[in-house]
Amino acid sequence: MQIKVKTPAKINLCLEVLNVREDGFHNIASIMQTISLYDYLDFEFKQADELKIQLTGNSVDIPYDKKNIVYKAITLFYSTIPDLPVYEIKINIEKNIPVQAGLGGGSANAAGVIWTLNKVLNTNLPEAQIDALCAKLGSDLNVCYHGGTCYAESRGEKVTRIRANYQSGVSIIKPLNLGITAKDGYSMYDGLGFPPKSPVRSQELKNAIIAGMDISDLIYNDLEIAPLEKFKVLSKIKESCPASMMTGSGSAFFVLNEKPVLDLPADEYRIITGLNFVDTGVCEV
């Protein structure tokens, strides 16, 4: 059996870091939005005597072994759900979403695995169990799985869909030679020594989205402050396009509603234009 799914990138329209948790993660309040930038996963299932996983793909920036979150998602699904039929599962990953960019590409891929296994293996898991599996693998999977405009709390895995009345075009700007892991992004923020706070900006943005108001002046990201000071390739983006905002822990920035005119060297940055907000998460092609 073969099936192909597309997994969307996300951007953080607002990201407020509230405090550090006892488990080392951070409590956040964030408005996340899926956009029309997709990775594609081609699945092939063959009956087998034991579970076998083979990953291939077009990117040199990700591993194709047990370190890949796609591999981890399969093993988690099988270890959690009893009495599943076993297959030789081959997955080709077509990467279009830049990695270590704050766009949730790896999380979206893992969410695509959970969506596909639930469909192909006829497990019919309730939404709460799907959300629990997503949360075990990462903080952004739940948003990428469900898609649309989402208010994310806790470490990002507690998600509430927002009835959005706001749509926008999106452009992405990503330095070619800089990636930032979530761990490094939050560590840089912690180094600034800000005290705990309550969510304010995200609530204001949420109300504006529901009302269909212009949100261009409300987008915000706590995690942007430290990388802008540390990395010249990022400050150049902000200087060239003041309306841009970093997504997640970076290193990608996004611009709403316009195709940016950028004074940036083409050999140092990848620029993706013509994107839009989408109201869907993982889905079959």
Side-chain angles (χ1 to χ4, degrees), residues 187-250:
S187 293
M188 282 189 282
Y189 177 83
D190 289 342
L192 299 175
F194 291 122
K197 63 179 181 180
S198 300
V200 176
R201 291 175 180 262
S202 56
Q203 291 291 346
E204 184 180 4
L205 177 60
K206 179 180 178 181
N207 293 337
I209 290 172
I210 292 171
M213 299 168 55
D214 181 20
I215 66 170
S216 300
D217 293 333
L218 298 176
I219 60 174
Y220 178 77
N221 187 347
D222 275 332
L223 296 181
E224 183 188 71
I225 304 168
L228 279 176
E229 294 179 355
K230 184 174 182 178
F231 300 110
K232 184 63 176 176
V233 290
L234 299 185
S235 61
K236 283 183 179 179
I237 296 174
K238 203 72 169 180
E239 291 165 4
S240 182
C241 185
S244 64
M245 182 63 59
M246 194 176 82
T247 177
S249 56

Side-chain angles (χ1 to χ4, degrees), residues 102-161:
L103 293 165
S107 295
N109 293 167
V113 168
I114 293 173
W115 186 95
T116 302
L117 293 181
N118 188 46
K119 177 182 176 67
V120 171
L121 302 180
N122 296 311
T123 44
N124 299 312
L125 300 182
E127 187 171 296
Q129 192 168 5
I130 291 287
D131 285 335
L133 284 170
C134 287
K136 285 184 178 180
L137 286 163
S139 299
D140 295 335
L141 271 77
N142 302 71
V143 169
C144 295
Y145 186 97
H146 294 291
T149 312
C150 300
Y151 183 72
E153 303 172 89
S154 186
R155 58 179 172 82
E157 86 288 359
K158 184 179 178 182
V159 172
T160 305
R161 287 264 302 206

Side-chain angles (χ1 to χ4, degrees), residues 33-277:
Q33 173 67 56
T34 49
I35 61 175
S36 57
L37 175 61
Y38 300 98
D39 288 342
Y40 294 88
L41 305 184
D42 279 292
F43 290 81
E44 181 179 345
F45 293 83
K46 291 184 178 180
Q47 290 186 336
D49 295 328
E50 61 182 9
L51 178 63
K52 298 178 181 178
I53 304 168
Q54 179 180 334
L55 305 181
T56 57
N58 67 332
S59 173
V60 298
D61 297 320
I62 62 172
Y64 295 99
D65 54 22
K66 295 180 180 180
K67 296 178 182 178
N68 193 302
I69 194 171
V70 165
Y71 196 107
K72 294 175 182 178
I74 298 172
T75 56
L76 175 65
F77 198 96
Y78 267 86
S79 64
T80 303
I81 313 301
D83 302 322
L84 292 176
V86 292
Y87 290 92
E88 178 183 353
I89 304 175
K90 296 181 180 180
I91 307 175
N92 185 71
I93 306 168
E94 180 188 326
K95 291 295 292 182
N96 300 300
I97 304 171
V99 302
Q100 293 187 356
L103 293 165
S107 295
N109 293 167
V113 168
I114 293 173
W115 186 95
T116 302
L117 293 181
N118 188 46
K119 177 182 176 67
V120 171
L121 302 180
N122 296 311
T123 44
N124 299 312
L125 300 182
E127 187 171 296
Q129 192 168 5
I130 291 287
D131 285 335
L133 284 170
C134 287
K136 285 184 178 180
L137 286 163
S139 299
D140 295 335
L141 271 77
N142 302 71
V143 169
C144 295
Y145 186 97
H146 294 291
T149 312
C150 300
Y151 183 72
E153 303 172 89
S154 186
R155 58 179 172 82
E157 86 288 359
K158 184 179 178 182
V159 172
T160 305
R161 287 264 302 206
I162 297 173
R163 189 181 297 276
N165 292 299
Y166 180 86
Q167 291 294 317
S168 178
V170 183
S171 297
I172 299 294
I173 310 157
K174 165 71 169 65
L176 292 175
N177 296 316
L178 176 65
I180 302 175
T181 66
K183 180 180 179 180
D184 288 343
Y186 280 95
S187 293
M188 282 189 282
Y189 177 83
D190 289 342
L192 299 175
F194 291 122
K197 63 179 181 180
S198 300
V200 176
R201 291 175 180 262
S202 56
Q203 291 291 346
E204 184 180 4
L205 177 60
K206 179 180 178 181
N207 293 337
I209 290 172
I210 292 171
M213 299 168 55
D214 181 20
I215 66 170
S216 300
D217 293 333
L218 298 176
I219 60 174
Y220 178 77
N221 187 347
D222 275 332
L223 296 181
E224 183 188 71
I225 304 168
L228 279 176
E229 294 179 355
K230 184 174 182 178
F231 300 110
K232 184 63 176 176
V233 290
L234 299 185
S235 61
K236 283 183 179 179
I237 296 174
K238 203 72 169 180
E239 291 165 4
S240 182
C241 185
S244 64
M245 182 63 59
M246 194 176 82
T247 177
S249 56
S251 59
F253 282 61
F254 67 90
V255 186
L256 300 180
N257 294 317
E258 62 182 85
K259 181 177 179 179
V261 179
L262 300 168
D263 184 21
L264 297 171
D267 60 344
E268 294 182 20
Y269 296 88
R270 179 183 176 190
I271 300 170
I272 309 171
T273 60
L275 305 173
N276 295 284
F277 287 8

